[in-house]
Amino acid sequence: MSGHIPVMLAEVLHHLAPHPGESHLDGTFGGGGYARAILDTGATLWALDRDPEAIQRGATLLAQFPGRLTLLHACFGDMLEVMHKHGVTALDGVVLDLGVSSFQLDDAERGFSFRTDGPLDMRMGRDGPSAADLVNTLPEAELADLIWEYGEERFSRRVARNIVAQRPFTTTMALAEVVRKSVPRDPSGIDGATRSFQALRIKVNDELGEIERGLEAALKLLAPGGRLVVVSFHSLEDRIVKRVMNQAAGRAPGLSRHDPSALMGRAAPSPFKLLTQRAERPGDAETRDNPRARSARLRAITRLPASEDKAA
């Protein structure tokens, strides 16, 4: 698992606070960076990943931490069912590192990167429709909407029009070239294909739906005093994390007129408390050493101990 640099590791460990004897879950095993650090504290760890190649890479850690690491091939959005299947109903901590992993980006054959040529795939789990399927079959209007919604690309209609005019596409570089020619040069230096490739990857893997399901499941699995730590990498992810955590902590804006607590003039006490009042960012040293950390945002929340919950 060399070459993998876990993002904001010190901050993740600070908020997750794993201790010997505790049971934690890493829902996005990836390169095993968080997993190793958690295991080094003496905690027991369940680790999930939808990518079968990540599970294969985990064999080394399994051998190093016998009896304390369980590695499962599964989507983190299904963690509630997966944990219940294994007899686990409560966890002391859950960590999620959202988005694409370094291993997936660096492997041209996976088709995630617009910087190296490879098949236009982008499937994290190796199943379902690929990016090529979407690019080559979607009607122009649907493709434009997809690129706008998931990539926030202002020139999505122009991109979609040019893609449809020149398809079919089978490789990443061929698609990236057309996309780059469809958008103005970004003065910040961001590659013109970034947003469109992001949009396709999110759609292919249902990443936003997976985040919604995973966050709700993680909150249900937290034991009293348990912590959930999430690292996201773009605004669409962070918005979902912020909204779900704020709602769980009773900080949703306004009360619904359909909520009985609104009739009493106060909201029901929340069993959760935010550990981060706003998203934390990586330090200058980390972004200098690991450019992929630049866009990272960390948020954390805890389920209150039973006594504090009642007192609230």
Side-chain angles (χ1 to χ4, degrees), residues 31-296:
Y34 294 153
R36 177 182 291 279
I38 293 169
L39 290 164
D40 281 340
T41 69
T44 295
L45 182 68
W46 298 83
L48 313 179
D49 206 294
R50 69 193 296 180
D51 188 343
E53 294 184 13
I55 302 301
Q56 294 171 10
R57 287 193 298 269
T60 302
L61 277 187
L62 283 171
Q64 292 177 2
F65 298 94
R68 286 202 290 119
L69 172 61
T70 303
L71 193 54
L72 302 170
H73 181 210
C75 295
F76 68 80
D78 298 328
M79 72 172 75
L80 191 64
E81 295 80 2
V82 172
M83 289 295 95
H84 284 179
K85 181 179 177 181
H86 287 81
V88 178
T89 58
L91 294 162
D92 296 298
V94 177
V95 61
L96 300 174
D97 179 3
L98 305 178
V100 64
S101 77
S102 298
F103 288 98
Q104 291 165 337
L105 278 173
D106 293 340
D107 184 353
E109 291 301 310
R110 300 301 301 272
F112 287 98
S113 177
F114 44 76
R115 300 187 188 281
T116 56
D117 203 17
L120 190 56
D121 194 325
M122 300 192 191
R123 294 173 297 176
M124 292 180 178
R126 297 287 199 176
D127 57 353
S130 68
D133 293 327
L134 297 182
V135 164
N136 294 326
T137 63
L138 284 180
E140 181 180 322
E142 288 186 31
L143 185 58
D145 289 344
L146 183 160
I147 295 171
W148 165 252
E149 181 179 359
Y150 297 125
E152 299 180 299
E153 173 56 71
R154 291 184 301 143
F155 300 94
S156 61
R157 300 206 176 280
R158 186 190 302 173
V159 172
R161 182 168 62 250
N162 291 340
I163 288 175
V164 169
Q166 299 183 54
R167 65 188 186 189
F169 292 90
T170 59
T171 65
T172 54
M173 293 295 280
L175 177 63
E177 184 178 353
V178 170
V179 175
R180 291 186 185 110
K181 291 179 178 178
S182 304
V183 301
R185 185 182 181 88
D186 193 314
S188 68
I190 295 177
D191 192 294
T194 300
R195 295 182 179 87
S196 295
F197 268 61
Q198 171 187 295
L200 290 169
R201 191 201 78 218
I202 289 174
K203 180 64 175 179
V204 165
N205 298 288
D206 186 27
E207 292 181 34
L208 302 187
E210 184 78 354
I211 293 170
E212 294 268 9
R213 294 187 292 271
L215 293 174
E216 295 295 341
L219 291 172
K220 291 177 181 178
L221 281 168
L222 287 187
R227 289 80 62 193
L228 168 62
V229 182
V230 184
V231 178
S232 59
F233 289 88
H234 59 74
S235 59
L236 295 178
E237 294 173 342
D238 185 55
R239 285 176 207 159
I240 296 174
V241 178
K242 178 181 179 180
R243 171 176 53 79
V244 172
M245 287 190 176
N246 280 344
Q247 288 176 344
R251 293 195 174 188
L255 287 171
S256 168
R257 62 188 177 88
H258 301 293
D259 184 352
S261 64
L263 301 177
M264 297 184 290
R266 63 183 181 86
S270 169
F272 294 97
K273 177 184 177 181
L274 295 176
L275 294 175
T276 52
Q277 298 306 310
R278 59 182 58 84
E280 294 184 0
R281 303 279 300 275
D284 293 338
E286 179 171 6
T287 56
R288 184 172 58 251
D289 295 338
N290 181 16
R292 286 179 179 168
R294 286 177 304 198
S295 60

